[in-house]
Amino acid sequence: MYRFLFFLFFINLLVNAQELPPIKIFTAEDYNAQNQNWEISQSEDDLIYVANNGGLLEYNGEHWRLYTHFSNPILRSVKVKDKIIYTGSFMDFGFWKKNEKSQLEYNSLVEKLQVKLKEGEEFWDVEFYQNWILFKSKTRIYFVNTISNEVKIIDSEETISGLFIINNTIFFQKKNIGLFTLQNGEEKVYSDDVFFKNNNIINCFYYNKELVFLSEEKGFVTVKGSKVVSQKTDLNNESFLIFSGIQLEDKSFLLGTISNGIVFLSKDGKITSTINRKNGLSNNTALSLLQDNSGNIWIGLDNGINYLNVSSAFKIFEDEEGTLGTIYTSLFFDNELYLGTNQGLFFKDKNLKFKLIEKTEGQVWFLKEINGNLFCGHDKGTFIIKNKKVVNAISEELGTWNIKKVPGNNHILIQGSYQGLSILENDNGDWQFRNKIEGFDVSSRFFEFYNDRLYVNHELKGLYELQIDDSYAKVLQKEKITIPKVGYGSNIFSFGNNLFYSSSEGVYKKQDDGSFKVDSLFTKNLKDLDNLTTIRKLAQKKNTLYSFSKNNILFITSNSISLSPQVKAIPIDGAIRNNVLGFENLTQISAENYLIGTSHGYLLLNDALVKNEKNVDISFQQILINKIDSDKIHLSLVEAVELENKQNNIAFSYSISKYDKMIKNEYQYQLEGLTNNWSDWTEDSTQLYENLSYGDYIFHVRGKYGNQTTDVKSFEFSIKRPFYLSNLYLVFYVISMIFIIVLINIYYRRRYKRKNKTLLEKAQKELKLKELESAQIIMKLNNDKLRVDIESKSRELASSTMNIIKKNDFLNTIKTELTSGENKDVSKVVKIIDKNLNNTDDWKMFQEAFNNADKNFLKKVKEMHTSLTPNDLRLCAYLRLNLSSKEIAPLLNISPRSVEVKRYRLRKKMGLPHDENLTNYILEI
């Protein structure tokens, strides 16, 4: 630690000599105005105002706004007092005030007070004196009283080249005449020395308890009696042409030159640094300077505006030529700053240039001082550096990740490389490769001794616990340890008296049973940090860890009593840090200074300058509304507003008036009435809501500057209901609804009646249909019954007919047999048979059955053929039954031949043609 204190002055010298404060560059395209910027001022609420050739510029930390008031908008001067911005321009001077909409409105004092100006006057300076505002042109000074509006004028035949007010005294210079002051309202010669006649005075200050004047070419002078005495400073040895100059809070000076940028001059008169286009500024002509309320520097240039964050804890070295490459490690050793990069090992020479150490070309992984030796871990092996040279190259194992001391043995070192672990041994002060530790070939970038065991972590392959023999020749036991959640950026480290494993998934502590469980203390302290990188030990401080989060550098130290982790977060924009993922590096190079390697240079952090900003505030800059396809309108910021229904597109603009390049401003918003959730943090300082529906809303916004969160700012507004939802229309809607309900009621009642009538008629029809269907069913049943009866009768008729036929056949047979015999009593029997054959009762029975089976047939035939006899009708009945002549003969008790004759005669009586079939005819009747 004593070495860091010893070299603190040296490091600060390096910082001042080459590493620069963060610089923000604003071009004409950024602020959308002209190139030249003549004067800069700042308001009480930290807004920046610039007199530009294009008008008045306002900057709130997020957005530039340009205000103009004439066709010739060139402003030559600006100064702010009590929230009023006074400006001088071509043929005019006046002031700007913000209205309730946060818009600047211009008031011309020339017009208001009817001041008569000289033709072509331009006002190059604005100053305040008691209740007076002073506006200076080339030949006049106008005094305007802010209370009485009285105007006084100092006129000069010669050019007035300067106007200064210090300790309530007004000074101004007349070319070729001398330096003047005002006493009791009257101008008085302060000095007519030839120096003030021939040299332009830029400003005046108190320096070493004396009033001194800064000249354009001759540096500082003071007036002693009637003589002008030059002050001894480094300016006397330079040939700067000074255009602007201010005294800083620490009583040092900042000078703006015509062609050499800006010059920092200590209060002892020493030039501490010069910043120009070669090392950071965007232009070499500094027309105006301002130290703002935070102690930082604004420079109005001939082309653009620059902002120097001189109060920042960071300084930046940009490797403009690309000599270094990406920095992976660094070390301040033996009065030299060493940088290990992907292109080799470099050191800074006396000319503040980095030079490559011979034979170190290639990838450097680490630098470490062990027992007075500088070890360099390289892709080619291990190098030992002395006097900026490689004095020993150990290349038996390629790709050295790290080297550590072996506990309890000062003569050997253990190194982790691409192929595993190996041992270096001290042989009479010379470190040599001794052996590779057998039994473990995993790439060993991170390893840690703990309780007689060696723990080695590989981000992809996992965590191993190794037991190594006493001679460190081989691994006796190897165990792979299971971690609950494996993430990226993993590492193993000891902290306090414990062993920890960390990754993107959290920090795990080794338990007594050998397992690893989530550590509650680390988790509590790191839970609000996003994108945490690998946690590493800070080699130069015991029990101190470091890491990076999304927008912070983290130092983790232990509580002196409980050894619990304490996290200090230093805000820095992650994009500026720009480390290589997984190879983030930070080295302590003095008691309070740290070096952070980047892909294009490095950052220097002075921990003593880190401060927590207080009173960080957020404010609305403007609120715009518009209808679709119409111009935007500014809203008042001081009261709630009610908007027309179509004015439902609203844009909010807000800002934190902090300008630190290293710390980003972030914002979070919520529109109550639309959502209850806050948005994610964003760098966007505007929010647009389109096509909002009617209702009441409250817009909330808060900001975050580094790790400081502002209070919430709110704006209430409401959007009117559309005309068709106004009260008058609602009454109309209610009346219309009632009327419609009544109409609907009447309609449905009528419809109900009609429907009931229709249903009744339909029911009646359905009833009739059902009755008809029932009648039809009954009829069908009756018909079926009749059909059955007919079929039964037909069967009876057929049976009867067949019985008669059989009976007659039988009787005829008996008769035949009897007549053929000679028995005399036969005739009597034959008579009886003949009587039975001609029995009319059989016919009547047949006729009755026939009529039952074929109703009205005989009647129809008789009506059709009136000449038919009963025997003819009988024949027709037999033919209707489709009986053959042979079957009919027994029924008529005649021969079949006689039946044919009867058929013939019947045809004739019926008048049938020859070719028509008698039987078919009778069947068709």
Side-chain angles (χ1 to χ4, degrees):
M1 182 64 69
Y2 67 91
R3 276 208 314 273
F4 297 136
L5 295 172
F6 180 79
F7 294 124
L8 176 60
F9 175 77
F10 181 74
I11 289 297
N12 287 332
L13 179 61
L14 291 182
V15 169
N16 291 329
Q18 188 168 6
E19 290 79 9
L20 301 175
I23 301 175
K24 273 187 179 181
I25 294 176
F26 301 101
T27 66
E29 290 75 19
D30 293 326
Y31 51 74
N32 197 27
Q34 299 300 312
N35 294 332
Q36 292 179 316
N37 299 279
W38 295 103
E39 195 166 10
I40 304 175
S41 187
Q42 188 175 26
S43 63
E44 294 177 357
D45 53 359
D46 293 334
L47 298 180
I48 297 296
Y49 293 93
V50 182
N52 179 270
N53 276 3
L56 177 63
L57 288 172
E58 179 189 70
Y59 185 56
N60 57 33
E62 297 291 349
H63 308 286
W64 290 93
R65 279 196 280 183
L66 176 66
Y67 295 92
T68 57
H69 62 289
F70 282 128
S71 58
N72 184 356
I74 299 175
L75 292 187
R76 299 299 191 185
S77 56
V78 61
K79 197 154 287 185
V80 184
K81 182 180 182 182
D82 299 330
K83 296 184 179 180
I84 301 176
I85 301 100
Y86 294 91
T87 59
S89 60
F90 176 77
M91 290 298 292
D92 194 27
F93 56 80
F95 63 90
W96 307 74
K97 289 184 70 175
K98 283 198 171 184
N99 57 26
E100 61 181 12
K101 300 177 181 179
S102 193
Q103 297 293 296
L104 288 176
E105 294 179 345
Y106 181 69
N107 297 271
S108 172
L109 290 173
V110 173
E111 292 182 3
K112 179 181 179 181
L113 303 178
Q114 297 182 350
V115 179
K116 293 183 180 180
L117 304 178
K118 284 185 178 182
E119 184 61 33
E121 270 192 294
E122 288 185 281
F123 293 91
W124 290 88
D125 203 357
V126 180
E127 297 291 346
F128 304 121
Y129 179 77
Q130 298 178 358
N131 295 326
W132 297 87
I133 310 297
L134 283 64
F135 298 94
K136 183 188 78 69
S137 68
K138 289 293 185 182
T139 57
R140 282 183 175 182
I141 301 175
Y142 293 81
F143 295 77
V144 179
N145 192 294
T146 57
I147 299 176
S148 64
N149 289 331
E150 180 183 0
V151 178
K152 293 184 178 180
I153 301 174
I154 292 179
D155 203 349
S156 173
E157 296 295 330
E158 299 291 339
T159 298
I160 300 176
S161 59
L163 175 64
F164 323 108
I165 299 177
I166 186 168
N167 284 357
N168 209 30
T169 303
I170 299 173
F171 292 94
F172 56 93
Q173 182 185 22
K174 291 184 179 181
K175 190 176 182 179
N176 299 322
I177 298 178
L179 187 64
F180 289 77
T181 185
L182 283 180
Q183 291 184 357
N184 300 321
E186 300 292 332
E187 57 183 285
K188 180 181 179 182
V189 175
Y190 182 78
S191 174
D192 58 358
D193 189 272
V194 67
F195 180 89
F196 291 109
K197 293 180 180 180
N198 298 330
N199 292 279
N200 288 333
I201 302 302
I202 303 301
N203 209 337
C204 64
F205 314 99
Y206 266 97
Y207 174 69
N208 291 336
K209 298 181 181 181
E210 291 183 313
L211 181 65
V212 297
F213 298 90
L214 174 64
S215 66
E216 182 179 41
E217 298 181 66
K218 304 297 184 180
F220 288 97
V221 298
T222 187
V223 177
K224 293 184 177 181
S226 60
K227 294 183 179 181
V228 174
V229 179
S230 176
Q231 296 289 309
K232 292 182 179 181
T233 69
D234 286 354
L235 293 179
N236 299 333
N237 302 321
E238 302 290 342
S239 57
F240 295 132
L241 281 177
I242 299 172
F243 190 86
S244 55
I246 58 174
Q247 191 169 22
L248 303 179
E249 292 176 352
D250 63 356
K251 303 305 179 183
S252 65
F253 299 95
L254 176 62
L255 312 178
T257 71
I258 296 295
S259 57
N260 291 287
I262 59 173
V263 178
F264 286 89
L265 194 70
S266 71
K267 57 185 177 182
D268 298 326
K270 304 294 183 181
I271 294 178
T272 57
S273 65
T274 300
I275 304 177
N276 49 41
R277 282 206 64 178
K278 291 181 179 180
N279 56 8
L281 287 191
S282 61
N283 185 267
N284 277 336
T285 302
L287 302 178
S288 54
L289 302 169
L290 171 74
Q291 185 174 30
D292 66 15
N293 298 335
S294 298
N296 297 303
I297 305 299
W298 294 85
I299 310 166
L301 299 167
D302 191 56
N303 188 0
I305 300 169
N306 285 186
Y307 170 74
L308 268 67
N309 205 173
V310 294
S311 67
S312 173
F314 292 92
K315 297 294 183 288
I316 301 175
F317 171 77
E318 291 284 350
D319 182 21
E320 299 289 350
E321 299 177 356
T323 303
L324 297 177
T326 301
I327 295 174
Y328 283 80
T329 183
S330 59
L331 188 66
F332 192 76
F333 175 76
D334 198 19
N335 296 341
E336 302 288 348
L337 177 62
Y338 290 89
L339 300 179
T341 79
N342 65 330
Q343 298 187 36
L345 180 60
F346 293 82
F347 72 96
K348 183 181 275 189
D349 64 11
K350 294 180 180 179
N351 297 320
L352 306 181
K353 298 292 184 180
F354 283 100
K355 288 188 176 181
L356 177 68
I357 295 178
E358 293 182 3
K359 301 179 182 179
T360 66
E361 294 87 349
Q363 178 68 60
V364 175
W365 293 120
F366 83 94
L367 294 170
K368 182 177 287 188
E369 183 268 329
I370 301 177
N371 297 336
N373 294 286
L374 176 57
F375 286 82
C376 171
H378 197 280
D379 181 64
K380 298 176 183 177
T382 302
F383 299 152
I384 298 177
I385 310 298
K386 186 173 290 186
N387 296 325
K388 294 166 282 190
K389 294 180 180 180
V390 176
V391 296
N392 189 6
I394 305 171
S395 58
E396 283 83 352
E397 293 287 323
L398 300 180
T400 304
W401 289 115
N402 201 355
I403 295 178
K404 290 186 176 183
K405 293 181 179 180
V406 174
N409 192 332
N410 293 327
H411 297 287
I412 61 174
L413 301 174
I414 186 169
Q415 67 176 10
S417 66
Y418 298 165
Q419 293 83 29
L421 300 165
S422 56
I423 296 297
L424 302 181
E425 187 176 34
N426 192 335
D427 184 11
N428 295 322
D430 187 19
W431 290 98
Q432 301 292 334
F433 180 84
R434 195 189 78 175
N435 65 274
K436 184 182 187 310
I437 299 178
E438 300 297 331
F440 190 76
D441 298 322
V442 177
S443 179
S444 303
R445 183 181 172 198
F446 300 113
F447 53 92
E448 188 76 23
F449 284 101
Y450 185 76
N451 289 347
D452 298 326
R453 295 289 187 273
L454 182 65
Y455 292 83
V456 183
N457 179 69
H458 188 282
E459 187 176 39
L460 300 178
K461 295 182 179 181
L463 176 63
Y464 298 87
E465 181 185 279
L466 306 180
Q467 181 183 359
I468 305 175
D469 67 348
D470 293 338
S471 63
Y472 286 88
K474 63 180 179 178
V475 174
L476 299 177
Q477 183 178 349
K478 178 176 71 173
E479 180 182 356
K480 189 172 183 181
I481 298 175
T482 301
I483 302 298
K485 288 185 179 180
V486 178
Y488 62 86
S490 61
N491 188 15
I492 187 76
F493 58 87
S494 59
F495 185 76
N497 298 319
N498 296 290
L499 185 69
F500 295 87
Y501 171 90
S502 70
S503 74
S504 59
E505 293 295 331
V507 180
Y508 302 86
K509 180 180 176 182
K510 188 178 186 300
Q511 308 298 307
D512 292 337
D513 61 2
S515 64
F516 281 79
K517 293 184 179 179
V518 173
D519 183 77
S520 58
L521 294 175
F522 268 101
T523 301
K524 179 182 178 181
N525 284 281
L526 300 175
K527 66 178 182 178
D528 296 327
L529 298 167
D530 298 328
N531 301 336
L532 196 68
T533 66
T534 306
I535 298 176
R536 295 181 174 88
K537 278 188 173 182
L538 185 63
Q540 294 77 15
K541 277 189 177 181
K542 184 179 180 181
N543 235 23
T544 299
L545 308 172
Y546 75 90
S547 182
F548 299 90
S549 68
K550 182 180 179 182
N551 291 311
N552 282 284
I553 297 173
L554 308 176
F555 289 100
I556 306 171
T557 57
S558 60
N559 183 291
S560 58
I561 298 176
S562 65
L563 298 181
S564 61
Q566 307 293 316
V567 178
K568 178 180 180 180
I570 300 174
I572 179 175
D573 189 343
I576 295 176
R577 195 184 73 232
N578 195 22
N579 303 108
V580 179
L581 184 63
F583 292 90
E584 301 85 1
N585 62 96
L586 179 147
T587 304
Q588 187 175 16
I589 57 175
S590 74
E592 296 171 340
N593 287 277
Y594 300 86
L595 188 147
I596 302 105
T598 71
S599 60
H600 47 74
Y602 58 83
L603 307 176
L604 287 178
L605 167 64
N606 188 330
D607 191 34
L609 298 179
V610 175
K611 56 184 179 181
N612 289 325
E613 289 285 345
K614 296 181 179 179
N615 302 321
V616 178
D617 195 17
I618 187 173
S619 60
F620 286 108
Q621 297 304 315
Q622 61 180 6
I623 302 175
L624 301 173
I625 61 165
N626 71 294
K627 298 178 181 179
I628 295 176
D629 298 328
S630 64
D631 293 336
K632 294 181 178 180
I633 301 172
H634 287 83
L635 288 184
S636 170
L637 304 183
V638 298
E639 59 184 8
V641 296
E642 186 177 35
L643 307 177
E644 297 297 327
N645 180 259
K646 294 296 183 181
Q647 292 176 325
N648 58 352
N649 300 304
I650 183 165
F652 297 90
S653 177
Y654 35 84
S655 69
I656 300 172
S657 296
K658 295 293 182 182
Y659 311 105
D660 197 324
K661 178 180 178 179
M662 307 303 287
I663 304 174
K664 63 170 62 175
N665 298 335
E666 294 184 293
Y667 304 93
Q668 195 177 42
Y669 54 85
Q670 174 201 40
L671 184 59
E672 187 177 329
L674 180 66
T675 177
N676 293 324
N677 299 323
W678 284 86
S679 70
D680 294 332
W681 288 103
T682 174
E683 295 179 51
D684 192 355
S685 62
T686 60
Q687 177 57 26
L688 170 65
Y689 293 97
E690 296 182 301
N691 200 27
L692 289 174
S693 60
Y694 69 89
D696 297 325
Y697 298 93
I698 305 177
F699 180 77
H700 303 291
V701 64
R702 59 190 174 198
K704 185 165 66 173
Y705 174 72
N707 298 315
Q708 304 295 315
T709 301
T710 70
D711 293 333
V712 175
K713 283 288 191 298
S714 300
F715 179 80
E716 296 184 29
F717 68 98
S718 61
I719 299 176
K720 291 181 180 179
R721 290 177 292 183
F723 70 91
Y724 51 82
L725 292 179
S726 63
N727 292 334
L728 179 62
Y729 270 83
L730 290 178
V731 173
F732 171 75
Y733 294 148
V734 172
I735 295 173
S736 300
M737 187 62 66
I738 294 172
F739 180 70
I740 290 171
I741 291 172
V742 172
L743 288 179
I744 291 174
N745 184 48
I746 294 172
Y747 167 75
Y748 275 104
R749 289 178 64 186
R750 291 181 178 179
R751 186 166 179 255
Y752 179 72
K753 289 181 180 180
R754 289 196 301 270
K755 187 174 182 181
N756 284 347
K757 184 179 179 181
T758 303
L759 290 174
L760 181 59
E761 291 175 352
K762 183 178 180 182
Q764 290 174 346
K765 288 181 181 179
E766 289 177 353
L767 182 58
K768 288 180 180 180
L769 287 173
K770 287 182 179 179
E771 289 177 353
L772 181 59
E773 289 175 358
S774 298
Q776 288 176 345
I777 291 171
I778 293 171
M779 187 180 295
K780 182 180 179 184
L781 292 173
N782 290 334
N783 288 338
D784 291 342
K785 183 179 180 182
L786 289 174
R787 191 178 299 109
V788 171
D789 290 344
I790 291 171
E791 289 175 354
S792 177
K793 296 296 183 180
S794 297
R795 285 193 297 270
E796 290 177 3
L797 176 60
S799 178
S800 175
T801 303
M802 293 305 296
N803 288 333
I804 294 171
I805 292 171
K806 290 180 180 180
K807 182 192 76 168
N808 287 347
D809 280 343
F810 175 71
L811 292 176
N812 282 329
T813 304
I814 295 172
K815 179 181 175 182
T816 302
E817 291 294 330
L818 289 175
T819 56
S820 64
E822 294 181 356
N823 196 337
K824 293 180 180 180
D825 293 326
V826 170
S827 60
K828 187 177 179 179
V829 177
V830 170
K831 286 180 181 180
I832 294 171
I833 292 173
D834 285 337
K835 184 179 178 180
N836 279 282
L837 288 172
N838 295 316
N839 193 342
T840 59
D841 290 335
D842 289 339
W843 165 248
K844 287 181 180 180
M845 184 185 67
F846 174 81
Q847 187 177 21
E848 182 180 356
F850 183 83
N851 283 330
N852 287 332
D854 199 350
K855 202 171 185 180
N856 298 329
F857 171 72
L858 295 175
K859 185 179 179 182
K860 287 181 182 179
V861 173
K862 184 64 176 173
E863 289 176 354
M864 292 173 64
H865 305 283
T866 58
S867 60
L868 297 181
T869 66
N871 287 331
D872 293 333
L873 293 176
R874 190 176 180 182
L875 177 59
C876 287
Y878 293 148
L879 291 173
R880 180 78 168 179
L881 293 174
N882 201 18
L883 299 176
S884 65
S885 296
K886 185 177 179 180
E887 291 171 332
I888 295 171
L891 295 174
L892 295 179
N893 196 23
I894 61 176
S895 65
R897 180 65 179 169
S898 299
V899 174
E900 291 296 330
V901 172
K902 280 185 174 287
R903 288 171 67 104
Y904 174 73
R905 290 174 181 170
L906 182 60
R907 289 173 61 86
K908 288 186 69 175
K909 286 181 181 183
M910 288 182 174
L912 294 179
H914 175 72
D915 56 350
E916 187 168 354
N917 188 283
L918 176 61
T919 301
N920 289 340
Y921 174 74
I922 290 173
L923 289 173
E924 292 174 358
I925 292 176

